[in-house]
Amino acid sequence: MIKKAFIEKTANIVFLICAVAAVFAVCAITFYVFIKGTPALKEVGVCDLLFETVWKPTAAEPSYGIGYIILTSVAGTGAAVLTGVPIGLLTAVFLSEMAGKRAGSVVHGAVELLAAIPSVIYGLIGMMILNSLMFKLEKALFAGDPSHQYTGGANMLSAVIVLAVMILPTVISVSTSALKSVPDSLRAASYALGATKEQTIFKTVIPAAKSGILTGAVLGTGRALGEAMAINMVAGGAVNIPFPFNSVRTLTTQIASEMGYAGGTHRDVLFTVGLVLYVFILIVNFVLLKARKAGAQLGS
């Protein structure tokens, strides 16, 4: 008994230390980001930085407007989530509710392989294949339009497609676990009332698993917001308004592209870009958490 009590007490202490370390890490990151990101807000000005659209940090009269960059991150992430989450959810439904043992193992293996592929490989495939296809589409759509500036297929649409594919493993894995955790008694009750298999899935199982599905969407959104390498390779890297066939740049690629050589105010502004990204992620997670709680309350 004494040995068991000692083990339990030790385990509690270890778990407490880990929890405190996690909280400390979050607080330290938050403190550092805010300390490094606020000086440029005072020097450049909040409105000039956040709402201006001209980015020329090395010009004789430098301009640090990141309005288009923020808009690109919001639009690109939103489009990728709206594309990837429904596909991921339907794939999870197939894996948990419809797939046989052989088909399920094949699809599950493919999903695991998608999760294991490094970001740079996604970017390389997108740059070599997707950008080429987009360039052909661009030439077909804008043939005879002298005002259109061709990007070689490196554009907003390519970035959205790559992001949508990259978030699929996260959404599928979390959603599949959520769907499988729904009690079989709910399915049996639905069938007993005369519902078909499809009606049971979409009107009983998915609503019961919505909390876990929303968690997958949150994680997928975080993955889309934080991706830099692949997007830097397929999006073109220019600061433009985020139209589908425009070369664009996101908050993450902005930092990754210029932090290596930036100095002075330019470097301070890049830290502010990181602060904007951090705040944006906090807002997204807060909104989705509230939506998840609201959905749980409605379900109960």
Side-chain angles (χ1 to χ4, degrees):
M1 291 295 295
I2 297 177
K3 184 177 180 181
K4 183 178 179 181
F6 174 77
I7 293 175
E8 290 180 352
K9 186 175 181 179
T10 303
N12 287 334
I13 293 174
V14 171
F15 295 150
L16 178 61
I17 292 173
C18 292
V20 170
V23 173
F24 175 78
V26 172
C27 293
I29 292 172
T30 303
F31 179 76
Y32 180 80
V33 169
F34 273 88
I35 289 297
K36 297 292 289 185
T38 51
L41 290 174
K42 300 177 181 178
E43 184 175 352
V44 179
V46 176
C47 292
D48 290 340
L49 185 65
L50 299 181
F51 301 109
E52 290 294 328
T53 58
V54 178
W55 176 263
K56 293 182 179 179
T58 58
E61 295 183 2
S63 178
Y64 300 101
I66 61 172
Y68 280 162
I69 300 173
I70 296 173
L71 188 59
T72 297
S73 294
V74 174
T77 300
V81 170
L82 290 175
T83 303
V85 169
I87 296 173
L89 176 58
L90 293 178
T91 304
V93 168
F94 174 77
L95 287 172
S96 64
E97 305 295 326
M98 296 182 173
K101 187 175 181 180
R102 179 175 297 180
S105 63
V106 172
V107 176
H108 183 70
V111 171
E112 289 185 341
L113 182 60
L114 278 177
I117 296 175
S119 298
V120 67
I121 302 301
Y122 281 106
L124 183 63
I125 294 173
M127 186 173 62
M128 299 303 295
I129 299 176
L130 183 59
N131 283 3
S132 177
L133 295 175
M134 286 297 162
F135 185 47
K136 293 178 181 178
L137 178 61
E138 191 177 13
K139 289 193 294 183
L141 292 176
F142 297 98
D145 184 359
S147 64
H148 180 72
Q149 296 182 350
Y150 290 93
T151 62
N155 52 41
M156 177 75 172
L157 191 55
S158 297
V160 168
I161 293 173
V162 170
L163 279 179
V165 173
M166 293 182 70
I167 69 175
L168 282 178
T170 301
V171 176
I172 293 171
S173 298
V174 177
S175 298
T176 301
S177 299
L179 292 170
K180 287 184 176 179
S181 67
V182 175
D184 289 335
S185 58
L186 288 179
R187 297 178 177 85
S190 178
Y191 290 138
L193 292 173
T196 64
K197 187 177 184 69
E198 289 74 18
Q199 289 173 329
T200 299
I201 291 172
F202 289 101
K203 293 186 177 182
T204 301
V205 178
I206 290 179
K210 60 187 174 185
S211 179
I213 294 170
L214 188 57
T215 299
V218 171
L219 295 175
T221 302
R223 174 73 190 275
L225 278 172
E227 181 54 45
M229 179 61 71
I231 304 308
N232 199 31
M233 298 173 71
V234 302
V239 179
N240 284 316
I241 190 168
F243 288 146
F245 291 98
N246 276 0
S247 176
V248 294
R249 180 179 292 187
T250 64
L251 292 169
T252 51
T253 58
Q254 177 76 358
I255 299 170
S257 299
E258 300 187 8
M259 184 58 80
Y261 65 85
T265 303
H266 184 191
R267 185 179 180 86
D268 291 339
V269 169
L270 291 179
F271 275 108
T272 305
V273 172
L275 173 62
V276 172
L277 178 63
Y278 187 74
V279 171
F280 183 51
I281 291 174
L282 290 179
I283 293 173
V284 170
N285 278 274
F286 177 78
V287 170
L288 292 177
L289 180 61
K290 287 294 184 181
R292 179 181 175 184
K293 288 183 178 179
Q297 291 175 355
L298 288 175
S300 60

